[in-house]
């Protein structure tokens, strides 16, 4: 995804350069009004390009955040999971309840694994996010992210299971950093 983001950003910059060069190819200097209009058009194009580059960066950050969440859950990094949430973020797990705020998320994560922290010998807990669809809102402070978790977990000589489901999350940007909201 990062290479696609960079490709799009580079394409936008090429377009801006082409627009600037078109104005330079005239044989006679443009009239003052024409020049002001051309400059205004370029300024609008730059603002639009910057907004698109930021949106693409946000999409990349959000996709990484979904993967980081899965990794932290896999490795029983409960405090790190809780830190991914907004101050008033919510975890709602079907059949288990809703947990409001980082402290409650932290408590839920610790209880989920009976207090065990870090990877456990003889266990597998892969929690992958697939088919991620990201919709960053025009305000740049809210995003809707839908993904399908594909989960493999097991404990040697005990049990093993597959799991699938669906996540529909709202992410919020707090202090310039994307966090899980609800």
């Amino acid at each position: 995804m990062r290479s696609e983001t960079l490709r799009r950003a580079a394409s936008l910059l090429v377009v801006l350069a082409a627009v600037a060069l078109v104005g330079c190819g005239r044989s006679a200097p443009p009239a003052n009004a024409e020049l002001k209009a051309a400059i205004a058009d370029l300024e609008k194009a730059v603002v639009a390009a910057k907004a698109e580059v930021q949106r693409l960066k946000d999409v990349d950050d959000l996709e990484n955040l979904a993967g980081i969440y899965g990794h932290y859950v896999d490795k029983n990094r409960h405090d790190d999971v809780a830190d991914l949430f907004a101050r008033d973020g919510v975890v709602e797990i079907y059949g288990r309840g809703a947990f409001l705020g980082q402290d409650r998320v932290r408590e839920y994560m610790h209880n989920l694994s009976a207090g065990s922290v870090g990877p456990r010998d003889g266990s597998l807990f892969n929690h992958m996010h697939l088919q991620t669809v990201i919709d960053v809102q025009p305000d740049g402070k809210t995003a809707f992210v839908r993904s399908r978790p594909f989960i493999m977990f097991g404990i040697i000589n005990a049990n093993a299971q597959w799991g699938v489901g669906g996540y529909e999350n709202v992410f919020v940007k707090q202090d310039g950093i994307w966090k899980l909201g609800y």
Side-chain angles (χ1 to χ4, degrees):
M1 186 56 125
R2 186 172 297 275
S3 62
E4 178 66 17
T5 300
L6 294 175
R7 187 190 65 72
R8 285 182 182 175
S11 296
L12 285 170
L13 292 176
V14 167
V15 169
L16 287 175
V19 168
L21 290 174
V22 166
C24 295
R26 299 174 176 230
S27 56
N32 196 21
E34 271 185 66
L35 184 58
K36 285 182 180 179
I39 290 172
D41 288 345
L42 283 173
E43 287 173 344
K44 287 179 189 174
V46 167
V47 168
K50 283 182 178 180
E52 179 63 6
V53 168
Q54 182 59 52
R55 188 190 70 76
L56 292 170
K57 182 184 179 312
D58 288 339
V59 166
D60 198 40
D61 290 348
L62 289 159
E63 188 172 31
N64 285 333
L65 183 55
I68 290 167
Y69 170 83
H71 176 75
Y72 287 171
V73 168
D74 295 347
K75 305 304 180 217
N76 289 325
R77 293 176 60 175
H78 314 305
D79 295 321
D80 293 328
V81 169
D83 291 342
L84 296 176
F85 282 80
R87 291 176 288 276
D88 58 351
V90 177
V91 168
E92 186 172 352
I93 306 292
Y94 182 75
R96 296 189 181 178
F99 306 89
L100 174 62
Q102 284 182 336
D103 291 339
R104 291 286 287 138
V105 170
R106 191 177 323 278
E107 180 182 336
Y108 168 72
M109 293 306 298
H110 279 277
N111 288 335
L112 184 64
S113 65
S116 163
V117 176
R120 289 179 266 177
D121 288 337
S123 70
L124 170 71
F125 195 50
N126 286 330
H127 192 263
M128 300 168 282
H129 290 247
L130 306 173
Q131 299 176 325
T132 304
V133 177
I134 299 168
D135 181 21
V136 177
Q137 296 301 288
D139 68 2
K141 296 178 183 176
T142 307
F144 299 98
V145 179
R146 174 183 284 188
S147 63
R148 296 187 56 79
F150 179 67
I151 305 164
M152 300 179 292
F153 57 97
I155 300 173
I156 195 166
N157 297 324
N159 66 358
Q161 297 176 359
W162 298 86
V164 296
Y167 284 130
E168 293 192 23
N169 294 313
V170 177
F171 289 75
V172 294
K173 195 179 266 188
Q174 289 184 338
D175 303 323
I177 298 171
W178 285 105
K179 298 281 188 171
L180 282 153
Y182 54 92

